[in-house]
Amino acid sequence: MFMKRSILVFLTFLLLAYWAYRPGLNGSFIFDDYANLPALGAYGPVDNFTTLTRYLTSGKADPTGRPVALASFLIDAHNWPANPYPFKLTNLLLHLINGALLAWLLLILGRQCDFEESHARWAAIFGAGLWLLHPLFVSTTLYIVQREAMLPATFVLLGLTGYIRGRDRLLDGHVKRGATIAAISIGLATVLAVLSKANGALLPLLAFTLEATVLKKPSAHAKWALNWLRGVVLVLPTCMLLGYLVHVTPWDLGTIPTERPWSYGQRLLTEPRVLLDYLRLLWLPHPYTSGLFNDQIAASTDIFHPWTTLPALLAVILLPLAALAWRRRFPLIAAAILFYFAGQLLESSVIALELYYEHRNYLPALLMFWPLAALFVAPGKRLRPRVIAVIAVVLMLAGMTHLRSTVWGNGTEQALLWAALNPNSDRAAADASQFEMHLGRAAEAEQRLRRIIPEHPDDPQLTMNLVSARCMQGSIDATDLALAAHSLQTTRKGTGLLFKWFRKAVNLAKSGSCAGFNFHSLRTLIDAAWKNPGIASVAGHRQDLFNIQGRLALAQGDVPMALYDFNAALHAEVRPEAALEQAAILGSAGFPCAGLAHLELFSSLRGKRARPRFGMARIHEWLLQRQGYWPHEIDHIRAQLLHDAKQKMPQGCPAELGSRDVKTLQ
């Protein structure tokens, strides 16, 4: 009867979580979804083995490419574009599965601590329920691409459960069998977790935090075997991971990573402040937080600026040390603290990621609420009021999660709320202005942008959107162009969205629909981008700029200059996809001979093509080469261009068309 009641309560928590998240399932794709999910259709529908292998090896995040996470997206779609609803539903189901796995792990840990069975069960159920219904994880669960953050948690939970089971067998005297189960559990789960996201490599360290705190101590006769198991399965991989972090840390911490406004040393000083803010949100939850926009967080310039840097640094050092010192007296609290900080080791240390993202707490916070749950449901006096109190907290969290999910189900409301909650965030302002322009409220978008541009004059997202908002109203002036040119010349931020804007701007300039914005205006902005060393020094960015110049020349009817710029783009970085795209642009514009000349240039430069050195990118390149993918695609477009050229120029293409431009660039 007791077991049925506890299972019924946890099933109720799962249903409550589904209810809380249900409004957010109607939301759309956002931000990094568009950077990752189009791979589903990059090589055609994923409906056969050939396209499957191309898709699974196409990932660019981490050296591994995260193929397990990519494979999981095939549950929801096999082509692109796709409907976001199935992706979000799968994410929610995965979150519920993780909640169930967490409850099972916490039950095992409670038994390891010699809790009474009822205490272990209720502590596990409420500890998992508090995590499952916490509103902070809405921005992980409903952000489709963050399935890459959820899957490592799944494999970590499975790996820890298997490890403890094997460890128990070992302690019972079945040394060989127990060690095998434990080693396979950690090894296989770590591999699968890493192939989902790199922080899965933390599994051995996370298991070691449990060894140091809540797992049963071995008897004298089994101690040697357990020490060997720990050394090989937990300590050795952890030392390799720490060695990697030391290896990627530059000797000069003042080094500034590409496209980041802070140095490695400043990041290390900032992350303690970030970690304490994460803990604030975990223990003082809010229905509405800054969400995905955290660029307003100022990096710490030294230990005194801002003043919170030193206290945060001391707290982040002293909390784990205190947990280690008091792990015998307060094992559950020590386990939660050490597990949390160990789980943040990769994403909150020296690797030059963005300073702050809420989804980084999904895995580290797994044990966070277990000590509280165990305290509230512990046998003793006033048990009923304590249980009622923890139920009330669960219901409160469910209500907050429901409110937050409702916002995630409405893209416009979400963008405007995030802009209001992050008044100093240039990204939030840029995103909100785009939604306002989409709704035809260009004047409101302009007002929003003009308020924030003086605080972020080097952000081209803001100034480019201002140009768009002004053009929607009919005209721009020299001041608007000057703001845009200044931001392009000084920015250190990512430029992917910037080049997409430029491509649309070519058509805008050609249409003549915006007074004050013409080919000369666009050329001025391109020249400003060339003056930015952070752009001009990167081969891929140079290729993008030449590509835009080629499009601009083509729009002006200057085909030789268009071909020259497209050829220059290939010289900047020899990539078959660039050659195919640019040849197709020339052909579709009615100049198939220029397209053929461009393909000839690519053939002559093919030997200079840079190859990926290691990782999944190298495997992907090898696979495409083995399958003959690029030769097939080039032959296909060449055949189409030849057909079009014969239709347009029966006498044949001018022989000197391509060679002149190749010699000029060489």
Side-chain angles (χ1 to χ4, degrees):
M1 183 65 184
F2 164 72
M3 182 179 295
K4 289 182 179 179
R5 186 165 63 248
S6 60
I7 292 174
L8 182 61
V9 169
F10 189 70
L11 288 176
T12 302
F13 285 174
L14 293 176
L15 290 173
L16 190 60
Y18 181 84
W19 167 83
Y21 276 95
R22 179 66 183 84
L25 298 181
N26 297 317
S28 58
F29 297 111
I30 57 175
F31 307 117
D32 285 350
D33 292 340
Y34 291 107
N36 293 272
L37 296 178
L40 284 163
Y43 300 99
V46 186
D47 54 7
N48 57 66
F49 182 76
T50 299
T51 54
L52 175 65
T53 56
R54 292 172 186 169
Y55 168 66
L56 292 180
T57 60
S58 66
K60 296 180 174 62
D62 299 341
T64 68
R66 304 178 183 178
V68 170
L70 290 180
S72 75
F73 293 130
L74 293 174
I75 298 171
D76 313 304
H78 290 242
N79 205 349
W80 186 264
N83 180 3
Y85 182 89
F87 291 88
K88 289 181 179 284
L89 179 60
T90 300
N91 273 25
L92 176 53
L93 294 176
L94 181 60
H95 184 56
L96 300 181
I97 290 170
N98 284 343
L101 291 174
L102 176 58
W104 179 244
L105 174 64
L106 295 181
L107 175 60
I108 293 172
L109 293 179
R111 290 168 175 167
Q112 291 282 317
C113 295
D114 293 324
F115 286 0
E116 294 180 8
E117 184 64 18
S118 62
H119 185 198
R121 283 183 178 275
W122 290 116
I125 288 170
F126 282 105
L130 291 168
W131 177 87
L132 182 67
L133 287 155
H134 201 287
L136 187 64
F137 304 130
V138 170
S139 58
T140 306
T141 305
L142 294 180
Y143 191 1
I144 293 169
V145 76
Q146 290 311 325
R147 189 178 304 175
E148 296 173 347
M150 301 173 72
L151 283 168
T154 307
F155 295 120
V156 164
L157 289 166
L158 290 170
L160 291 176
T161 302
Y163 174 77
I164 297 171
R165 180 183 179 186
R167 184 184 187 275
D168 285 346
R169 290 286 186 92
L170 183 150
L171 297 183
D172 289 340
H174 306 285
V175 174
K176 187 175 180 179
R177 184 178 183 85
T180 301
I181 293 173
I184 290 176
S185 296
I186 292 292
L188 181 60
T190 300
V191 169
L192 292 172
V194 168
L195 294 178
S196 301
K197 192 176 182 180
N199 64 342
L202 293 167
L203 172 54
L205 177 59
L206 296 173
F208 196 78
T209 65
L210 300 183
E211 282 281 5
T213 52
V214 294
L215 297 187
K216 287 180 180 178
K217 305 309 170 190
S219 60
H221 76 277
K223 192 171 183 178
W224 68 271
L226 183 58
N227 285 339
W228 271 101
L229 178 67
R230 289 169 175 167
V232 174
V233 177
L234 305 184
V235 176
L236 180 60
T238 298
C239 289
M240 293 172 63
L241 178 62
L242 294 175
Y244 168 78
L245 289 176
V246 172
H247 172 70
V248 299
T249 303
W251 288 105
D252 181 8
L253 291 178
T255 303
I256 298 177
T258 303
E259 297 185 345
R260 300 294 188 207
W262 34 258
S263 69
Y264 286 95
Q266 289 172 342
R267 188 180 201 277
L268 285 172
L269 288 175
T270 306
E271 285 306 303
R273 293 167 43 218
V274 170
L275 290 173
L276 290 189
D277 196 63
Y278 290 159
L279 291 172
R280 176 184 65 84
L281 291 174
L282 285 165
W283 287 103
L284 298 173
H286 300 275
Y288 308 117
T289 68
S290 58
L292 305 184
F293 296 112
N294 303 287
D295 49 299
Q296 75 276 18
I297 294 176
S300 296
T301 55
D302 55 52
I303 61 172
F304 301 112
H305 298 90
W307 70 267
T308 52
T309 302
L310 182 57
L313 182 60
L314 292 174
V316 168
I317 293 172
L318 292 176
L319 274 172
L321 290 178
L324 282 172
W326 295 336
R327 66 187 185 277
R328 303 297 182 214
R329 187 174 180 184
F330 305 108
L332 273 65
I333 296 174
I337 292 173
L338 293 175
F339 193 96
Y340 179 78
F341 284 104
Q344 294 284 3
L345 183 62
L346 275 181
E347 294 179 304
S348 298
S349 60
V350 73
I351 299 175
L353 305 171
E354 296 274 6
L355 294 176
Y356 189 116
Y357 270 123
E358 292 176 359
H359 65 255
R360 293 174 186 167
N361 292 279
Y362 189 85
L363 168 59
L366 286 172
L367 304 188
M368 183 64 64
F369 309 110
W370 180 45
L372 179 67
L375 176 65
F376 270 68
V377 300
K381 296 180 180 179
R382 307 181 68 82
L383 175 60
R384 185 182 297 273
R386 285 188 275 122
V387 171
I388 292 174
V390 75
I391 290 174
V393 172
V394 169
L395 294 176
M396 177 192 70
L397 294 177
M400 290 183 181
T401 297
H402 187 270
L403 288 173
R404 196 171 186 200
S405 297
T406 301
V407 173
W408 273 76
N410 185 318
T412 302
E413 181 184 350
Q414 183 182 52
L416 297 179
L417 176 63
W418 281 346
L421 291 173
N422 303 285
N424 297 320
S425 168
D426 47 346
R427 293 180 183 175
D431 185 56
S433 68
Q434 288 174 343
F435 273 94
E436 287 169 331
M437 285 187 281
H438 180 71
L439 295 173
R441 292 150 49 181
E444 294 179 32
E446 179 188 353
Q447 291 175 6
R448 180 185 299 278
L449 293 166
R450 289 201 184 280
R451 284 194 299 268
I452 198 168
I453 284 175
E455 300 175 24
H456 303 277
D458 62 342
D459 189 341
Q461 284 189 85
L462 300 175
T463 58
M464 299 293 108
N465 279 351
L466 178 62
V467 170
S468 297
R470 292 281 289 148
C471 281
M472 283 185 67
Q473 299 174 75
S475 66
I476 63 170
D477 56 32
T479 303
D480 302 326
L481 283 174
L483 289 171
H486 174 77
S487 68
L488 288 167
Q489 192 169 337
T490 58
T491 186
R492 285 187 55 83
K493 300 187 177 181
T495 52
L497 293 174
L498 173 63
F499 292 121
K500 290 181 181 179
W501 183 91
F502 265 123
R503 293 185 181 106
K504 294 179 181 178
V506 172
N507 294 327
L508 178 64
K510 185 177 181 179
S511 70
S513 60
C514 178
F517 190 78
N518 49 37
F519 292 135
H520 176 73
S521 306
L522 186 54
R523 183 74 231 189
T524 300
L525 297 181
I526 294 172
D527 289 342
W530 276 115
K531 294 176 183 177
N532 187 325
I535 295 176
S537 63
V538 178
H541 294 343
R542 291 199 303 274
Q543 182 173 84
D544 287 332
L545 283 175
F546 277 124
N547 177 275
I548 293 161
Q549 288 182 177
R551 292 168 184 263
L552 176 58
L554 199 59
Q556 293 176 290
D558 190 345
V559 180
M561 181 54 69
L563 179 58
Y564 179 91
D565 284 323
F566 285 152
N567 287 349
L570 269 190
H571 276 276
E573 189 174 33
V574 183
R575 294 193 307 121
E577 47 268 64
L580 287 169
E581 179 201 36
Q582 292 173 159
I585 290 172
L586 290 166
S588 61
F591 305 102
C593 289
L596 288 167
H598 188 60
L599 288 182
E600 287 304 313
L601 172 63
F602 173 72
S603 296
S604 69
L605 296 175
R606 190 176 300 177
K608 299 180 180 179
R609 183 181 174 194
R611 305 283 180 177
R613 292 184 179 180
F614 65 96
M616 189 60 73
R618 184 64 180 264
I619 296 173
H620 183 66
E621 182 72 22
W622 172 83
L623 183 69
L624 293 181
Q625 183 178 1
R626 183 176 178 82
Q627 294 176 349
Y629 177 79
W630 290 121
H632 175 269
E633 293 296 306
I634 290 170
D635 288 345
H636 174 75
I637 195 169
R638 181 181 282 115
Q640 184 61 52
L641 290 170
L642 283 170
H643 176 270
D644 294 345
K646 288 179 180 178
Q647 295 291 321
K648 190 170 184 177
M649 303 182 69
Q651 72 278 16
C653 293
E656 73 279 3
L657 180 62
S659 60
R660 180 181 68 248
D661 294 285
V662 173
K663 290 176 181 177
T664 301
L665 288 165
Q666 289 175 336

